[in-house]
Amino acid sequence: MRGMLLKQFLYLKRHGKTLPLIIIMIALIALPLSASSSVSTACSIIAMVAAMLTIWVTFNNRGIDEQAKWDAYARSLPISTYAAVGSQYIITAIFALAGMAAQFIVFTVSGTGINKLAAIVIVFTGAIPLAICDIALPFCYWLGCRKASYIFLLFCLTPVVASFLQAHGINPTLNVSNQQTPLLLGLSVLIVFAITLVSLFISCKIYTGKEV
């Protein structure tokens, strides 16, 4: 597994040379905003960038494996299926956790503390892109990254659907009390964790049964 993770980071080193610059630029934008009264703006920027980077690293690293015919080569090595496939899930989770850590820093620097809203924002910043990638990865192993990328069109329709519902008097937002917040966050984490395990199991089955 350590070797598989090293491979994932080497992909980023070679094809993600602009990542440090992006992170520095986001820090230069978000931290001054969080120190002022524009905490919500900083959180929105971080959430958007974290989601983009998490999805990008998932498709980028898996796409490189496809182009290099890595799966065929890996079958000749003493590498378990869960190590070969699981490393992709781990690198995705690392980026999702990094987004959560960035949100935590913003709330800490701003002095607002970790209240109910902050906890929800932090958890969902990592949970949503991670769940999206968990849904996409089995399709990547089954259909290939190019065809699997089309499923993100469905997720792009989510804001449109939400706007349509609000226009017709249906508010899809959640009204959560302080007592319900821990339950909501706990259920969210458990659901995403379950989705990850199921997705990993399906991807491993596809990886094992697919002819390369």
Side-chain angles (χ1 to χ4, degrees), residues 76-137:
S76 64
L77 300 175
I79 301 173
S80 67
T81 299
Y82 279 94
V85 178
S87 61
Q88 180 66 71
Y89 283 81
I90 292 176
I91 193 68
T92 301
I94 288 174
F95 270 74
L97 291 173
M100 295 174 64
Q103 294 285 33
F104 179 83
I105 292 173
V106 167
F107 283 110
T108 302
V109 171
S110 65
T112 58
I114 308 302
N115 52 26
K116 180 185 76 171
L117 177 60
I120 293 175
V121 170
I122 291 171
V123 171
F124 278 77
T125 295
I128 292 177
L130 183 58
I132 292 174
C133 292
D134 287 340
I135 295 172
L137 275 170

Side-chain angles (χ1 to χ4, degrees), residues 59-180:
F59 275 82
N60 177 73
N61 287 19
R62 180 58 197 159
I64 294 173
D65 280 347
E66 288 183 5
Q67 293 178 358
K69 306 293 183 182
W70 165 257
D71 293 345
Y73 177 70
R75 291 174 184 270
S76 64
L77 300 175
I79 301 173
S80 67
T81 299
Y82 279 94
V85 178
S87 61
Q88 180 66 71
Y89 283 81
I90 292 176
I91 193 68
T92 301
I94 288 174
F95 270 74
L97 291 173
M100 295 174 64
Q103 294 285 33
F104 179 83
I105 292 173
V106 167
F107 283 110
T108 302
V109 171
S110 65
T112 58
I114 308 302
N115 52 26
K116 180 185 76 171
L117 177 60
I120 293 175
V121 170
I122 291 171
V123 171
F124 278 77
T125 295
I128 292 177
L130 183 58
I132 292 174
C133 292
D134 287 340
I135 295 172
L137 275 170
F139 288 96
C140 289
Y141 282 97
W142 179 33
L143 302 173
C145 286
R146 178 172 296 181
K147 293 181 180 179
S149 63
Y150 293 120
I151 70 171
F152 283 107
L153 293 176
L154 299 176
F155 294 101
C156 292
L157 294 176
T158 303
V160 178
V161 174
S163 300
F164 176 81
L165 293 176
Q166 288 181 339
H168 288 77
I170 302 175
N171 190 355
T173 58
L174 294 173
N175 294 320
V176 183
S177 65
N178 291 328
Q179 292 76 18
Q180 294 173 323

